[in-house]
């Protein structure tokens, strides 16, 4: 990925879809998630934390998902699909 120009720490899942969170009365520019193992044996790097913090400042919904099931749930919820 580095040879393709991807910066270190950039989130694994990025969805460019603006969404309004009615409960929080907040608009998000998109969704950015870092994926980690479901057994929580790995953690975010400082570069990943920096990316997520920067994207959050740009009005992105950001987070860390542990395992595929959690990631799928977050994506479905963000897109307004039944969970």
């Amino acid at each position: 990925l580095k040879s393709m120009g991807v910066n270190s720490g950039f989130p694994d899942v990025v969805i460019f879809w603006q969404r309004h969170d009615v409960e929080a009365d907040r608009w998000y520019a998109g969704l950015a998630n870092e994926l980690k193992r479901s057994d929580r044996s790995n953690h975010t790097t400082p570069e990943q934390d920096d990316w997520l913090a920067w994207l959050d400042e740009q009005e992105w919904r950001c987070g860390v998902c542990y395992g595929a099931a959690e990631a799928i749930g977050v994506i479905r919820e963000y897109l307004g699909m039944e969970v």
Side-chain angles (χ1 to χ4, degrees):
L1 291 174
K2 192 173 188 177
S3 67
M4 293 171 30
V6 176
N7 290 330
S8 178
F10 193 76
D12 296 313
V13 175
V14 178
I15 298 176
F16 294 89
W17 187 266
Q18 189 178 43
R19 184 90 174 146
H20 183 248
D21 182 337
V22 177
E23 291 179 19
D25 192 27
R26 179 177 177 183
W27 280 95
Y28 291 105
L31 174 69
N33 275 319
E34 186 60 39
L35 304 179
K36 297 297 174 189
R37 293 185 196 112
S38 61
D39 63 6
R40 296 180 178 260
S41 63
N42 62 341
H43 306 285
T44 56
T45 65
E47 293 85 6
Q48 291 167 335
D49 292 335
D50 289 345
W51 267 111
L52 293 174
W54 185 83
L55 287 165
D56 182 62
E57 291 172 4
Q58 308 310 309
E59 304 299 327
W60 282 70
R61 181 172 163 190
C62 301
V64 179
C65 292
Y66 293 92
E70 184 177 337
I72 291 167
V74 167
I75 292 167
R76 290 177 65 93
E77 185 273 324
Y78 182 78
L79 295 175
M81 302 168 74
E82 289 185 28
V83 181

